[in-house]
Amino acid sequence: MADAGAPAVSRHNKPVKNSWWHKNQQSMTPWLFLAPGILFFLFYVIFPIYQSFSLSFYSWDGLGEAEYVGAYNYEELYWDDAFYTSLRNNLIWLVMYLFAIPAGLFIALFLNQTVTGIRLYKSLFFFPFVISQVVVGLVFTWFYDPTFGLLNYILGSVGIPPINVLGDENFVTYGIIVAGLWPQTAYCMILYLTGLNAVDPEQIEAGRLDGAKGLRMLWHIIIPQLRPATFIAFVVTIIGALRSFDLISVMTNGGPYGESRVLSFYMFEVALSEYGFRMGYGASIAVVLFLIMLVFIAYFLWSMYQEEKAR
Amino acid sequence: MFPTPIERTSRSWQISYQTLLPLALILWLLPLIAVAIFSFKPASDFANANYWGWPSSFKGFTNYALVFTGSDMPQYLLNSVFITVPTVIGAVALSCMTGFALGVYKFKANIWIFFMFVAGNFVPFQILMVPVRDLTLQMGLYNTITGLVLFHIAFQTGFCTLFMRNFIRALPFELIEAARVEGVAEWRIFWYIVLPLMKPAIAALSVLIFTFIWNDYFWAVVLTQGVESQPVTAGITSFNAQYRAAYHLMSAGSIVAALPPVAMFFLMQKHFIAGLTLGAVK
């Protein structure tokens, strides 16, 4: 609010240099504060998205002249078996990764007690999320190792012959996902632990009086109250599943025979590995991945918008 | 509280819960515990196939000393610090400003700019990979720490803006209005009123971004190569190639690489969890 009768001298006895600024201060300030952030973001995030889209219509080795090839890259994708393998694995990731949500809820319920040292237990359970996926990948590679891995040691003790999880095309993707579920479950667990803190004890008492307990209590009284936590868990798990790259790169490098590739890894391989620098083809794979992600992004934004409106 | 508070259950339940707790933890952390034990073993244990037995002798100091003196690990660690710290400062500073602008002012484009940051934060990295790599090359920043830092700052600004804006929106708006009535300049409102209130959010974001950036692998591989600029995540993989069968050294190296975010988490646990769960609890 600019008050019309303001003296030309401010409260600090400095003359007001620019009355235009004084009048427009409130409408201009947000833009000045936003400018650096927006420029950075446009330059490094928004503009590159547009560039990838246009690049997907070119054939380019990253150095020479880019050649316009129309929809050729997409046509090639259509006939590319490796693309379908990656797409299939992406779907497996999406579906299996969601298992982190109930698993996280289960551990959170298990730890939601007040006994001595429980705080330390909670933080130790969260451990896997804090360490890098590169390290997680290495650790699980050893865990699965067919000659000395702990997994086969355990299997052997119950009489099951060793399985080369990461060398078997039928097991490899599932093996990597299990490694990924480890930190992801820890993440969901923390979300639910915090959510459980905010659960209304009165509603629980009311439920108890109505005779609800155990699973019925969980389903009808607790889970509805955990909705915000579930929403965030869902968002981060979907994003995490579609972004999976580190574990695949570290554990199998896409193998065996490319059977553990996902779109994000295949794209990297096509564009930046020894198989050749096919930037345009890589970009078209990235566009497909982006469009899949866009479905979820649109849904998340829509939910956020509904919530904004309700405020 | 759900489930039934343990102190209200029978004695036998309490005892089984107390014994189940450490067992579950050991099972949960088994892979990590194994690596920790690996890192204390002498090389001969692996040659003699004593993988899962107890270390025949304690060689923890030797192994860790070798990681620091006999490998490039110290350089990688240093690179990680030089990448992570400026990124945290840059992204938090930028998002304090964007968050303030989007959280305090009403203007038409507000929600759309906000959604741009949120949506950008969710995109798959691969859609940015080729153009960002090319941009970095053209600016002469490929394979430099600066190139990596600039991109990280820009990208993290998306998430940080979402976080900061929601935090500022929950602050008491009356404070800002009162200051305006007093005729306080807008930037002074930011600096003297809002920023001090943002301290918990700044702390939460700083630890969170520290962990994200320290653990980043993808951009490290895309934008850098070699010892002089790569962070420890990329370093550990070349370490892996170098010491493929030296499991004791690999384990020690992995633990060294994983330690800084773990330490950060334990020191700033309250803020870390507040940061992760923002929005999850009203």
Short mmCIF file of all heavy atoms in Angstrom, two decimals, chain A residues 105 109 196 204 207-224, chain B residues 1-5 13:
data_model
loop_
_atom_site.label_atom_id
_atom_site.label_comp_id
_atom_site.label_asym_id
_atom_site.label_seq_id
_atom_site.Cartn_x
_atom_site.Cartn_y
_atom_site.Cartn_z
N LEU A 105 5.45 -48.61 5.42
CA LEU A 105 4.38 -48.48 6.43
C LEU A 105 4.52 -49.56 7.50
O LEU A 105 4.41 -49.30 8.69
CB LEU A 105 3.01 -48.56 5.76
CG LEU A 105 1.81 -48.53 6.71
CD1 LEU A 105 1.75 -47.22 7.47
CD2 LEU A 105 0.51 -48.75 5.95
N LEU A 109 5.14 -48.90 11.43
CA LEU A 109 4.24 -49.37 12.48
C LEU A 109 5.01 -50.18 13.52
O LEU A 109 4.78 -50.05 14.72
CB LEU A 109 3.12 -50.22 11.89
CG LEU A 109 2.08 -49.48 11.08
CD1 LEU A 109 1.14 -50.45 10.39
CD2 LEU A 109 1.29 -48.52 11.96
N LEU A 196 2.63 -40.86 11.45
CA LEU A 196 2.03 -41.51 12.62
C LEU A 196 2.08 -40.61 13.85
O LEU A 196 1.21 -40.67 14.71
CB LEU A 196 2.76 -42.83 12.91
CG LEU A 196 2.39 -43.99 12.00
CD1 LEU A 196 3.34 -45.16 12.19
CD2 LEU A 196 0.96 -44.45 12.27
N ILE A 204 -8.51 -42.52 17.57
CA ILE A 204 -8.17 -43.91 17.88
C ILE A 204 -9.00 -44.40 19.07
O ILE A 204 -9.56 -45.50 19.04
CB ILE A 204 -6.66 -44.04 18.16
CG1 ILE A 204 -5.91 -43.71 16.89
CG2 ILE A 204 -6.33 -45.43 18.66
CD1 ILE A 204 -4.44 -43.96 16.97
N GLY A 207 -12.39 -45.04 17.95
CA GLY A 207 -12.42 -46.29 17.21
C GLY A 207 -12.41 -47.48 18.15
O GLY A 207 -13.14 -48.46 17.96
N ARG A 208 -11.59 -47.37 19.20
CA ARG A 208 -11.50 -48.47 20.17
C ARG A 208 -12.86 -48.70 20.82
O ARG A 208 -13.30 -49.83 21.02
CB ARG A 208 -10.48 -48.12 21.26
CG ARG A 208 -9.06 -48.25 20.80
CD ARG A 208 -8.18 -49.00 21.81
NE ARG A 208 -6.93 -49.35 21.13
CZ ARG A 208 -5.86 -48.57 21.12
NH1 ARG A 208 -5.86 -47.43 21.78
NH2 ARG A 208 -4.79 -48.94 20.46
N LEU A 209 -13.53 -47.58 21.15
CA LEU A 209 -14.84 -47.71 21.80
C LEU A 209 -15.83 -48.39 20.87
O LEU A 209 -16.71 -49.12 21.31
CB LEU A 209 -15.36 -46.33 22.22
CG LEU A 209 -14.58 -45.67 23.36
CD1 LEU A 209 -15.15 -44.30 23.67
CD2 LEU A 209 -14.62 -46.56 24.62
N ASP A 210 -15.66 -48.14 19.56
CA ASP A 210 -16.54 -48.79 18.58
C ASP A 210 -16.12 -50.22 18.30
O ASP A 210 -16.68 -50.87 17.42
CB ASP A 210 -16.56 -48.00 17.27
CG ASP A 210 -17.32 -46.70 17.42
OD1 ASP A 210 -18.09 -46.60 18.39
OD2 ASP A 210 -17.13 -45.80 16.59
N GLY A 211 -15.09 -50.67 18.98
CA GLY A 211 -14.68 -52.06 18.84
C GLY A 211 -13.72 -52.32 17.69
O GLY A 211 -13.49 -53.48 17.34
N ALA A 212 -13.17 -51.27 17.08
CA ALA A 212 -12.21 -51.50 16.00
C ALA A 212 -10.83 -51.77 16.60
O ALA A 212 -10.41 -51.09 17.53
CB ALA A 212 -12.14 -50.27 15.09
N LYS A 213 -10.17 -52.77 16.07
CA LYS A 213 -8.78 -52.97 16.48
C LYS A 213 -8.01 -53.69 15.38
O LYS A 213 -8.61 -54.10 14.38
CB LYS A 213 -8.68 -53.72 17.81
CG LYS A 213 -9.35 -55.06 17.80
CD LYS A 213 -9.21 -55.70 19.19
CE LYS A 213 -9.96 -57.02 19.24
NZ LYS A 213 -10.05 -57.56 20.58
N GLY A 214 -6.70 -53.81 15.57
CA GLY A 214 -5.88 -54.52 14.61
C GLY A 214 -6.02 -53.95 13.21
O GLY A 214 -5.99 -52.74 13.01
N LEU A 215 -6.21 -54.84 12.25
CA LEU A 215 -6.25 -54.44 10.84
C LEU A 215 -7.41 -53.49 10.53
O LEU A 215 -7.27 -52.58 9.72
CB LEU A 215 -6.33 -55.67 9.95
CG LEU A 215 -5.02 -56.43 9.76
CD1 LEU A 215 -5.22 -57.65 8.88
CD2 LEU A 215 -3.96 -55.51 9.14
N ARG A 216 -8.54 -53.73 11.18
CA ARG A 216 -9.70 -52.85 10.93
C ARG A 216 -9.39 -51.41 11.35
O ARG A 216 -9.70 -50.47 10.65
CB ARG A 216 -10.92 -53.35 11.71
CG ARG A 216 -11.72 -54.41 10.96
CD ARG A 216 -12.82 -54.93 11.87
NE ARG A 216 -13.74 -53.84 12.25
CZ ARG A 216 -14.85 -53.57 11.56
NH1 ARG A 216 -15.17 -54.30 10.52
NH2 ARG A 216 -15.64 -52.58 11.94
N MET A 217 -8.77 -51.31 12.49
CA MET A 217 -8.34 -49.99 12.99
C MET A 217 -7.37 -49.37 11.99
O MET A 217 -7.50 -48.20 11.62
CB MET A 217 -7.68 -50.18 14.36
CG MET A 217 -6.95 -48.97 14.86
SD MET A 217 -8.01 -47.79 15.66
CE MET A 217 -7.99 -48.42 17.34
N LEU A 218 -6.42 -50.17 11.55
CA LEU A 218 -5.40 -49.67 10.61
C LEU A 218 -6.06 -49.16 9.34
O LEU A 218 -5.79 -48.05 8.88
CB LEU A 218 -4.42 -50.81 10.29
CG LEU A 218 -3.30 -50.47 9.31
CD1 LEU A 218 -2.35 -49.48 9.93
CD2 LEU A 218 -2.55 -51.72 8.89
N TRP A 219 -6.94 -49.97 8.80
CA TRP A 219 -7.52 -49.66 7.50
C TRP A 219 -8.49 -48.48 7.56
O TRP A 219 -8.47 -47.62 6.69
CB TRP A 219 -8.22 -50.92 6.94
CG TRP A 219 -8.66 -50.74 5.54
CD1 TRP A 219 -9.93 -50.58 5.10
CD2 TRP A 219 -7.81 -50.68 4.39
NE1 TRP A 219 -9.93 -50.43 3.74
CE2 TRP A 219 -8.64 -50.48 3.28
CE3 TRP A 219 -6.43 -50.77 4.20
CZ2 TRP A 219 -8.15 -50.37 1.98
CZ3 TRP A 219 -5.93 -50.65 2.92
CH2 TRP A 219 -6.78 -50.46 1.83
N HIS A 220 -9.33 -48.45 8.59
CA HIS A 220 -10.40 -47.45 8.61
C HIS A 220 -10.04 -46.16 9.33
O HIS A 220 -10.64 -45.13 9.08
CB HIS A 220 -11.66 -48.05 9.24
CG HIS A 220 -12.27 -49.12 8.40
ND1 HIS A 220 -12.90 -48.84 7.22
CD2 HIS A 220 -12.31 -50.47 8.54
CE1 HIS A 220 -13.32 -49.98 6.68
NE2 HIS A 220 -12.97 -50.98 7.45
N ILE A 221 -9.09 -46.22 10.23
CA ILE A 221 -8.81 -45.03 11.03
C ILE A 221 -7.41 -44.49 10.80
O ILE A 221 -7.22 -43.29 10.64
CB ILE A 221 -9.05 -45.33 12.53
CG1 ILE A 221 -10.55 -45.58 12.72
CG2 ILE A 221 -8.60 -44.15 13.41
CD1 ILE A 221 -10.93 -46.12 14.03
N ILE A 222 -6.41 -45.38 10.73
CA ILE A 222 -5.03 -44.90 10.62
C ILE A 222 -4.70 -44.49 9.18
O ILE A 222 -4.27 -43.36 8.92
CB ILE A 222 -4.02 -45.97 11.09
CG1 ILE A 222 -4.42 -46.51 12.46
CG2 ILE A 222 -2.62 -45.40 11.11
CD1 ILE A 222 -4.41 -45.50 13.55
N ILE A 223 -4.91 -45.40 8.24
CA ILE A 223 -4.49 -45.13 6.87
C ILE A 223 -5.13 -43.87 6.28
O ILE A 223 -4.46 -43.08 5.64
CB ILE A 223 -4.68 -46.39 5.98
CG1 ILE A 223 -3.65 -47.42 6.43
CG2 ILE A 223 -4.50 -46.07 4.51
CD1 ILE A 223 -3.57 -48.66 5.59
N PRO A 224 -6.44 -43.65 6.50
CA PRO A 224 -7.00 -42.38 5.98
C PRO A 224 -6.28 -41.15 6.53
O PRO A 224 -6.10 -40.17 5.81
CB PRO A 224 -8.45 -42.43 6.46
CG PRO A 224 -8.75 -43.87 6.64
CD PRO A 224 -7.47 -44.50 7.10
N MET B 1 -2.20 -43.23 19.52
CA MET B 1 -1.05 -44.03 19.07
C MET B 1 -1.50 -45.38 18.52
O MET B 1 -2.35 -46.04 19.09
CB MET B 1 -0.08 -44.27 20.23
CG MET B 1 0.83 -43.11 20.53
SD MET B 1 2.04 -42.93 19.22
CE MET B 1 2.00 -41.17 18.97
N PHE B 2 -0.92 -45.77 17.42
CA PHE B 2 -1.19 -47.07 16.86
C PHE B 2 0.16 -47.69 16.49
O PHE B 2 1.02 -46.97 15.99
CB PHE B 2 -2.06 -46.96 15.62
CG PHE B 2 -2.41 -48.28 15.02
CD1 PHE B 2 -3.51 -48.97 15.45
CD2 PHE B 2 -1.60 -48.83 14.03
CE1 PHE B 2 -3.83 -50.20 14.89
CE2 PHE B 2 -1.91 -50.05 13.48
CZ PHE B 2 -3.03 -50.73 13.91
N PRO B 3 0.43 -48.89 16.66
CA PRO B 3 -0.43 -49.88 17.33
C PRO B 3 -0.48 -49.65 18.83
O PRO B 3 0.08 -48.69 19.31
CB PRO B 3 0.26 -51.20 17.00
CG PRO B 3 1.67 -50.83 16.71
CD PRO B 3 1.67 -49.43 16.22
N THR B 4 -1.12 -50.52 19.54
CA THR B 4 -1.25 -50.39 20.99
C THR B 4 0.12 -50.09 21.62
O THR B 4 1.08 -50.79 21.33
CB THR B 4 -1.79 -51.70 21.61
OG1 THR B 4 -2.86 -52.15 20.78
CG2 THR B 4 -2.28 -51.48 23.01
N PRO B 5 0.17 -49.07 22.45
CA PRO B 5 1.46 -48.76 23.08
C PRO B 5 2.00 -49.98 23.81
O PRO B 5 1.25 -50.68 24.49
CB PRO B 5 1.12 -47.63 24.05
CG PRO B 5 -0.12 -47.02 23.52
CD PRO B 5 -0.86 -48.10 22.81
N TRP B 13 4.71 -59.98 25.49
CA TRP B 13 4.74 -59.17 24.27
C TRP B 13 5.90 -58.19 24.33
O TRP B 13 6.66 -58.03 23.38
CB TRP B 13 3.44 -58.37 24.13
CG TRP B 13 2.63 -58.76 22.94
CD1 TRP B 13 1.35 -59.21 22.96
CD2 TRP B 13 3.04 -58.73 21.57
NE1 TRP B 13 0.94 -59.48 21.69
CE2 TRP B 13 1.95 -59.20 20.82
CE3 TRP B 13 4.22 -58.39 20.90
CZ2 TRP B 13 1.99 -59.31 19.42
CZ3 TRP B 13 4.27 -58.49 19.52
CH2 TRP B 13 3.16 -58.95 18.80
#
